[in-house]
Amino acid sequence: MGEEEKQNWQKVRKFNWKYFSDYDLRRQFYKYSNLGSSVLSEEKLKKLSALISDMQEIYSTAKICAFDDPKNCNLTLEPELTNIFANSRNPDELTHAWINWRKAVGPRCKNLFKEYVELSNEAARLNNFKDAGEEWLENYEDSQIKQQFKALWQQVKPLYLQIHAYVRFHLRKKYGDIVSKDGPIPAHLLGFHEAIGDLISLSVQSRKHLRKLGLLKSNKNDSEEVLNSLFMIGLDKIVYLPFAYLLDLWRWEVFAGKVTPNNYNHKWWKLREKYQGIAPPVSRSEADFDPAAKYHTIGSVPYIRYFVSVIIQFQFHQALCKLAGEYVPNDPSKPLHKCDIYQNTDAGNAL
């Protein structure tokens, strides 16, 4: 960071700019006032960078032994473990992979993560925020953004619960009593971004578009095929939402000091059961640190953006389909799932 930039930042901090009535001026002061982690002393900034780098290295280099070959201990997340979770239907192998991956990553990252939280909060306070969670949320420029996230989740929750129950029913048929009749799904049995790119995919997945490209030969709209297509979109999009929401719910409480290293894991699984309806395949304790099994946790990457992107892509898709005349509310001949905005100028200009 240049010395002049830091001097400007120190001048800006003297103003109570958050209460300026002029929106544009307040926004300019905000941009100058937040130096991110660079606000730390050189020594502490290096320490913070090293902590994140160390956690990333642990995550990227962690290896476990194969379930059916204990001498083969070179299995990494990509591609071996990913392939196991995608293709194996052996619950014992899945449990083995699930437990040992978390054992290889979590405990080694926990103390590093604790220090990372402390330094991240220190930087946030120097930037005039209560904690790092508040600083992350400031990018949305809406003091009620948490309430908006909560309201959005409440709107999609009923659909998620229906998909969850349907998936649980079929997993129970496959695995038997490993899956309870009406409780959470064992996490090891589940394969459960960005808005603009995914928006386009919603249109190109329509059967109408596939026919245009000659990839779908039938002109029939078979109701079961349509339902299956919509169900696949639900598995891809809706099922992802609660995790995309809860990861930062957990981190916001960590940064705020409401969740401490003494109950990191307890709170993590409490949120996963509450929002996702899943539970660990074996008992977990605070000796474990399961949030570290997700890269974004140890990589210091805010995650609520992915929750927002899924919601927004459907809102964008609906708006563009209306402009294109492909979707007309309450008109059964033009439902949203049949929309194809391909080669439509009005929709293209709006996009």
Side-chain angles (χ1 to χ4, degrees), residues 71-221:
K71 293 182 180 179
N72 176 12
C73 295
N74 290 310
L75 275 63
T76 58
L77 181 61
E78 295 288 350
E80 292 90 358
L81 293 181
T82 298
N83 287 337
I84 289 172
F85 284 111
N87 301 307
S88 175
R89 295 298 176 265
N90 181 339
D92 293 332
E93 181 180 28
L94 292 171
T95 300
H96 169 86
W98 192 95
I99 293 172
N100 284 284
W101 165 250
R102 282 157 180 76
K103 187 184 294 184
V105 176
R108 297 166 63 196
C109 285
K110 184 173 181 179
N111 287 332
L112 298 175
F113 186 80
K114 175 179 176 290
E115 291 184 74
Y116 152 79
V117 169
E118 291 168 354
L119 284 175
S120 296
N121 275 341
E122 182 176 339
R125 291 177 188 121
L126 287 171
N127 283 311
N128 289 320
F129 297 101
K130 288 191 300 185
D131 55 57
E134 184 185 74
E135 183 175 21
W136 284 4
L137 288 168
E138 184 67 17
N139 288 322
Y140 291 94
E141 301 185 33
D142 185 343
S143 61
Q144 301 299 311
I145 194 63
K146 279 189 178 181
Q147 288 83 346
Q148 290 198 45
F149 293 150
K150 183 177 181 180
L152 286 170
W153 166 243
Q154 291 300 324
Q155 289 179 53
V156 298
K157 180 181 176 181
L159 180 56
Y160 174 77
L161 291 177
Q162 291 185 51
I163 296 175
H164 180 277
Y166 183 78
V167 168
R168 181 178 56 202
F169 171 76
H170 282 280
L171 287 173
R172 185 171 169 82
K173 285 174 65 176
K174 174 71 177 176
Y175 294 108
D177 290 339
I178 293 175
V179 182
S180 68
K181 186 178 180 181
D182 53 11
I185 297 172
H188 67 300
L189 299 181
L190 300 173
F192 276 5
H193 273 284
E194 301 297 341
I196 295 297
D198 285 354
L199 154 66
I200 301 300
S201 75
L202 291 176
S203 181
V204 301
Q205 288 180 62
S206 73
R207 297 172 66 78
K208 183 176 180 180
H209 184 73
L210 295 175
R211 288 193 185 101
K212 282 183 182 178
L213 298 180
L215 297 175
L216 187 64
K217 304 301 182 185
S218 171
N219 287 319
K220 286 184 176 181
N221 279 318

Side-chain angles (χ1 to χ4, degrees), residues 199-200 202-203 310-330 334-337 339 341 347 350:
L199 154 66
I200 301 300
L202 291 176
S203 181
V310 173
I311 300 294
I312 287 177
Q313 68 186 255
F314 282 95
Q315 294 176 340
F316 287 173
H317 181 60
Q318 177 178 282
L320 294 180
C321 289
K322 283 183 178 178
L323 283 173
E326 289 280 311
Y327 166 59
V328 179
N330 302 317
K334 290 196 173 182
L336 187 58
H337 68 269
C339 170
I341 61 173

Side-chain angles (χ1 to χ4, degrees), residues 23 41 98 130 139 210 225 264 279 298 300 315 338 344 350:
Y23 172 77
S41 67
W98 192 95
K130 288 191 300 185
N139 288 322
L210 295 175
E225 289 184 6
Y264 275 166
I298 52 88
S300 189
Q315 294 176 340
K338 291 184 179 179
N344 185 280

